[in-house]
Amino acid sequence: MDKYQVLKQYFGYDEFREGQELLIDSILSGRDTLGIMPTGAGKSLCFQIPALMMEGITLVISPLISLMKDQVEALNQAGIHAAYLNSSLTASQYYRALAYAREGRYPIIYVAPERLVTEEFLDFALNTKISMVAVDEAHCVSQWGQDFRPSYLKIVEFIDRLNVRPVVSAFTATATKEVRDIGQRALPVVGGADGTHDGLRPSESLFRSPGTEGQVCDHEEFPGTASGTEWRDLLPDQKKCGGGQR
């Protein structure tokens, strides 16, 4: 199925919202992708649809148990096999879910960031084809924010330990000035090919939506958003994206 067929069959929509298709195409082309979209803009579809089209498993790193449960339930109701791995599961439930995952039952698995570097999960990840790591609520990486999760700082370590580097995508509705260190220090989505954070790689794209409009910039950097975020600090040594604010 193509992306339009997936959108219609599993999610019931005839067309994409603004920005969704651009992010999906970026991921499917193998680019690391950062999406900054307001709440309710449909960020989850931007990684769920590619996950259903890529060979292997997509790991969705999410900080909220309730969000994991809601999204997994919605996917299962839509006929998509998905699971979550977090502290709400008993030990037997957790190991059973991992066993099913090893069998390839789930194209999408939601996982709490604290689980990434545990021995059991690493053993699973190192012996499974991980096609994409999608970081939801990516603003949790900011040590200056009230939603800071120290475990988000382990994401790079986890990805670096995988046998084959997957596509990395990150999504957030929060683009405050305090969150601008997201690409500099903690997420590989805007890091160098060798794991250093020295600018945007040729295989990366970003999308910013300040509300109703957005843009994709390849190999470039965003101007300040309406809230004054300085994206030149996110992507150093890159030319500004033309067109100014939208």
Side-chain angles (χ1 to χ4, degrees), residues 81-177:
H81 295 294
Y84 56 81
L85 300 172
N86 56 46
S87 60
S88 71
L89 301 179
T90 65
S92 61
Q93 289 174 327
Y94 181 79
Y95 288 115
R96 184 165 62 249
L98 270 184
Y100 288 156
R102 291 178 190 274
E103 296 172 3
R105 294 196 185 190
Y106 308 121
I108 303 175
I109 298 175
Y110 284 74
V111 59
E114 291 82 4
R115 296 278 173 173
L116 292 177
V117 292
T118 62
E119 182 177 352
E120 297 85 357
F121 189 81
L122 274 174
D123 180 69
F124 156 72
L126 290 173
N127 292 282
T128 306
K129 182 172 183 178
I130 306 299
S131 55
M132 176 169 62
V133 172
V135 183
D136 201 10
E137 306 295 333
H139 58 275
C140 291
V141 77
S142 173
Q143 297 187 56
W144 305 107
Q146 62 179 358
D147 297 317
F148 171 57
R149 293 284 290 270
S151 52
Y152 263 56
L153 301 178
K154 296 289 187 180
I155 295 174
V156 169
E157 176 186 342
F158 168 74
I159 293 173
D160 285 345
R161 294 181 69 171
L162 296 177
N163 296 321
V164 178
R165 188 188 186 282
V167 176
V168 180
S169 59
F171 300 87
T172 180
T174 302
T176 64
K177 201 161 188 174

Side-chain angles (χ1 to χ4, degrees), residues 23 26-27 31-35 167-171 189 204-206:
L23 288 166
S26 175
I27 292 170
R31 295 179 176 181
D32 288 350
T33 302
L34 172 63
V167 176
V168 180
S169 59
F171 300 87
V189 70
E204 293 170 343
S205 296
L206 300 103

Side-chain angles (χ1 to χ4, degrees), residues 23-85:
L23 288 166
I24 290 168
D25 287 345
S26 175
I27 292 170
L28 289 175
S29 69
R31 295 179 176 181
D32 288 350
T33 302
L34 172 63
I36 302 171
M37 305 168 71
T39 300
K43 292 187 293 295
S44 60
L45 289 188
C46 297
F47 55 80
Q48 290 172 348
I49 288 179
L52 298 176
M53 300 176 65
M54 300 168 76
E55 184 180 350
I57 294 173
T58 288
L59 298 178
V60 182
I61 301 172
S62 175
L64 303 173
I65 291 177
S66 59
L67 179 62
M68 289 190 212
K69 289 182 176 179
D70 289 346
Q71 293 203 8
V72 168
E73 181 178 354
L75 289 169
N76 288 334
Q77 290 178 349
I80 299 168
H81 295 294
Y84 56 81
L85 300 172

